[in-house]
Amino acid sequence: MISHLPEKLWNKCLEIIRDNINEASFNTWFVPIVPLQYDKNVFILQVPSQFFVEYIEDKYIDLLRMTLYRVIGEGTKLEYRVLIDKKSGAGTTIPSESNEKKSLTTNTTSNYISPYHKPKLPEIDPQLNPSYNFNNLIEGKSNKLARTAGVSIANEPGKTIFNPLFVYGQSGVGKTHLANAIGVMSKQLHPEKRVLYVSANTFQIQYTDAVRSNSVNDFLNFYQTIDVLIVDDIQEFAGKTATQNTFFHLFNHLHQTGKQLVLTSDRSPLVLAGLEQRLLTRFKWGLSAEIEKPDFELRRAILENKIYRDGLEIPENVVDYIASNVTDNVRDLEGTLVSLLAHSTLANIIIDSELAEKVVSRIVKITPKTNTVERIRDIVCDYFSLSVDAISTKSRKREVVQARQIAMYLSKQMTKNSLSSIGSIIGQRDHATVLHACKTVGDLIEIDKNFRISVKEIEAKLKS
């Protein structure tokens, strides 16, 4: 007979824990935990990874230990079971360090973690955001190189040619997401490695504090022990000569000892101003990968992924509208979905095109799309990899004729030009040819699925 005691005890613990931390932290770190067994004063909790153990032991162990004492009794011991193989259920058991320690060291009023102040550091908090992982970092043309390199690094930190990995791009395109994903996956695959994510600003604050407290050696000794160092927004070192000098020597040490460096910036090393040339030269030793603005296909894929993960139901035409108009970055895309859901829930109205237009107009500036016959012709030619001259000839090749007819059809649909004007611009044809092309395309859209998809994709490009 299966005992439900562990589950009942854990549910009582969750009620107390929920009241003491914010909802996001509760959902991230405690909801995934599964109570396995309570026997001989030992409570065993199953966690998804070694990273969970490290994070809970560092951040929430006092709260967890006191909650267990309150619900079960003083002296209750805690063990974690890390699931290694989901199919077989194989795992490894790790005792909590709090079983031997009556009290744990907590952070002071400092705004950042300074683990180098501790006399002994078997583990550190990687300072990673676990929600930024490769599972929800959708791949597209704009980020494929950087993402692929990131996965390679996470599999073998410090052992690839991508060291350092220098990722750059405009704000909101996913640099921080990728940097965290590399760290999260590295820690999952190599739990023994010391992984640390730090913003350039935090690094600067830590260094300044170390100088003031005469503990620069401790600062350097700590950073020299890192196996995977991720520094976000490296451009913020500009003008900070002392910090740059310190980071230069740290970079050399880590690189020479086979440690992995991942750096992000809002611009390429070629145009970074205010940084010493010797640093910029080292930034280019490995791979410099740009993450560009997401194209329509990637924007749509990102939206669909978030809609699926959040269990939402949003019409396809609304998704297309958002993907076509929110073009600058991923943050705006996700923010649009959140706003759309909030408006729908609070006002109790359905999510449709009208609501989407209202929400999107408050997030991005929408400029009316003006398509000309020339623009339509050029985009159709680009889609079919044809030159503009090709559809202006008398060629009867199927792909050329089809491109010409689609260009005429879309020009009639999307512009106010006369049939004669459309024919003149697209291949010097007369209005009768344009009429025939429109009828042919209309018929094919009804009966040919692949043809219909092609026309739809071209229309999306014209709206983006």
Side-chain angles (χ1 to χ4, degrees):
M1 180 178 178
I2 299 175
S3 172
H4 296 289
L5 179 60
E7 185 176 346
K8 290 180 179 178
L9 293 173
W10 184 239
N11 285 337
K12 290 181 180 179
C13 290
L14 289 180
E15 290 176 8
I16 297 171
I17 293 169
R18 184 194 289 272
D19 291 336
N20 286 276
I21 62 175
N22 63 59
E23 190 71 10
S25 297
F26 178 82
N27 290 334
T28 301
W29 300 108
F30 289 95
V31 170
I33 294 176
V34 178
L36 288 185
Q37 182 180 334
Y38 175 68
D39 186 39
K40 296 179 180 178
N41 210 32
V42 177
F43 200 27
I44 302 177
L45 301 176
Q46 179 175 288
V47 295
S49 66
Q50 171 83 18
F51 178 59
F52 254 71
V53 178
E54 296 167 5
Y55 197 91
I56 290 171
E57 286 283 295
D58 186 55
K59 292 288 187 181
Y60 299 114
I61 190 57
D62 283 340
L63 172 63
L64 183 53
R65 188 181 74 254
M66 295 307 296
T67 302
L68 289 174
Y69 286 0
R70 180 176 171 183
V71 173
I72 303 174
E74 188 80 11
T76 301
K77 293 186 177 181
L78 174 63
E79 290 185 358
Y80 305 93
R81 180 173 174 79
V82 180
L83 193 61
I84 296 175
D85 189 333
K86 290 183 179 180
K87 291 184 179 179
S88 66
T92 182
T93 302
I94 303 171
S96 170
E97 291 183 4
S98 68
N99 292 341
E100 284 75 36
K101 298 177 181 179
K102 294 286 184 179
S103 62
L104 297 176
T105 303
T106 57
N107 291 326
T108 65
T109 56
S110 173
N111 291 327
Y112 60 91
I113 303 297
S114 299
Y116 51 87
H117 288 150
K118 300 178 183 179
K120 188 177 180 182
L121 254 180
E123 295 290 344
I124 62 169
D125 180 359
Q127 299 291 302
L128 295 163
N129 184 342
S131 63
Y132 286 166
N133 54 64
F134 282 113
N135 292 333
N136 55 32
L137 182 60
I138 310 302
E139 182 179 301
K141 292 179 182 177
S142 62
N143 66 1
K144 184 173 183 179
L145 175 62
R147 189 185 188 281
T148 302
V151 172
S152 297
I153 288 169
N155 275 287
E156 294 184 300
K159 296 182 180 179
T160 71
I161 59 174
F162 312 128
N163 194 17
L165 173 64
F166 190 98
V167 181
Y168 65 96
Q170 296 181 15
S171 176
V173 295
K175 304 186 298 296
T176 297
H177 189 150
L178 174 64
N180 274 269
I182 293 170
V184 169
M185 185 174 175
S186 296
K187 195 64 181 172
Q188 288 174 341
L189 297 179
H190 309 278
E192 76 286 356
K193 289 193 178 295
R194 294 165 67 82
V195 179
L196 182 67
Y197 166 92
V198 62
S199 70
N201 183 56
T202 299
F203 184 93
Q204 164 70 17
I205 293 171
Q206 291 177 344
Y207 173 68
T208 302
D209 184 69
V211 171
R212 288 173 179 169
S213 61
N214 199 27
S215 59
V216 173
N217 285 338
D218 292 336
F219 174 86
L220 288 172
N221 288 337
F222 165 70
Y223 270 98
Q224 287 173 357
T225 67
I226 303 301
D227 297 304
V228 181
L229 178 61
I230 303 163
V231 184
D232 207 0
D233 291 322
I234 198 79
Q235 76 277 357
E236 293 188 13
F237 281 169
K240 308 292 195 307
T241 305
T243 303
Q244 288 183 44
N245 185 55
T246 299
F247 188 74
F248 171 78
H249 294 295
L250 177 62
F251 183 105
N252 286 343
H253 175 85
L254 294 176
H255 196 275
Q256 289 168 8
T257 53
K259 307 298 178 64
Q260 180 67 50
L261 291 120
V262 178
L263 313 171
T264 78
S265 171
D266 62 359
R267 68 207 80 163
S268 162
L270 295 174
V271 294
L272 266 177
L275 268 74
E276 294 181 17
Q277 191 58 44
R278 59 179 183 169
L279 263 182
L280 295 176
T281 299
R282 281 158 177 75
F283 292 168
K284 293 181 280 188
W285 277 357
L287 172 68
S288 294
E290 181 180 11
I291 299 182
E292 300 172 344
K293 286 184 180 181
D295 57 18
F296 175 81
E297 287 76 15
L298 180 56
R299 295 197 299 269
R300 200 180 196 290
I302 290 169
L303 288 169
E304 288 178 334
N305 178 264
K306 184 165 179 59
I307 288 167
Y308 173 76
R309 285 189 290 114
D310 292 351
L312 306 176
E313 288 187 14
I314 297 179
E316 279 194 23
N317 64 318
V318 171
V319 177
D320 285 337
Y321 179 81
I322 297 172
S324 297
N325 288 282
V326 184
T327 60
D328 282 346
N329 59 61
V330 177
R331 290 194 194 116
D332 285 349
L333 281 175
E334 296 187 341
T336 301
L337 279 183
V338 172
S339 296
L340 200 61
L341 181 61
H343 278 76
S344 173
T345 304
L346 297 175
N348 195 26
I349 56 178
I350 62 170
I351 296 176
D352 56 13
S353 298
E354 183 179 352
L355 180 60
E357 290 177 15
K358 180 181 177 182
V359 170
V360 170
S361 67
R362 294 177 179 177
I363 294 176
V364 296
K365 184 178 180 180
I366 299 176
T367 53
K369 300 292 189 300
T370 54
N371 283 307
T372 63
V373 176
E374 289 85 356
R375 181 172 187 265
I376 293 169
R377 175 200 63 195
D378 294 348
I379 287 180
V380 170
C381 288
D382 182 66
Y383 182 84
F384 288 108
S385 300
L386 296 170
S387 67
V388 172
D389 292 338
I391 66 170
S392 299
T393 65
K394 293 184 179 181
S395 172
R396 301 304 301 169
K397 288 183 179 178
R398 182 173 178 274
E399 63 271 19
V400 175
V401 172
Q402 188 176 85
R404 185 189 302 129
Q405 290 178 334
I406 290 174
M408 291 176 174
Y409 170 83
L410 292 174
S411 294
K412 182 176 182 295
Q413 299 290 321
M414 298 180 141
T415 72
K416 295 180 180 180
N417 290 56
S418 66
L419 297 181
S420 297
S421 173
I422 293 171
S424 176
I425 296 171
I426 303 177
Q428 294 294 317
R429 287 348 191 239
D430 57 25
H431 76 283
T433 304
V434 178
L435 270 177
H436 174 70
C438 292
K439 184 179 185 308
T440 301
V441 173
D443 291 342
L444 284 172
I445 286 174
E446 294 294 327
I447 61 174
D448 188 329
K449 180 182 177 181
N450 291 330
F451 184 86
R452 183 167 61 250
I453 291 172
S454 294
V455 173
K456 186 176 180 181
E457 288 176 348
I458 295 171
E459 287 178 331
K461 287 178 179 292
L462 289 166
K463 292 175 182 178
S464 64

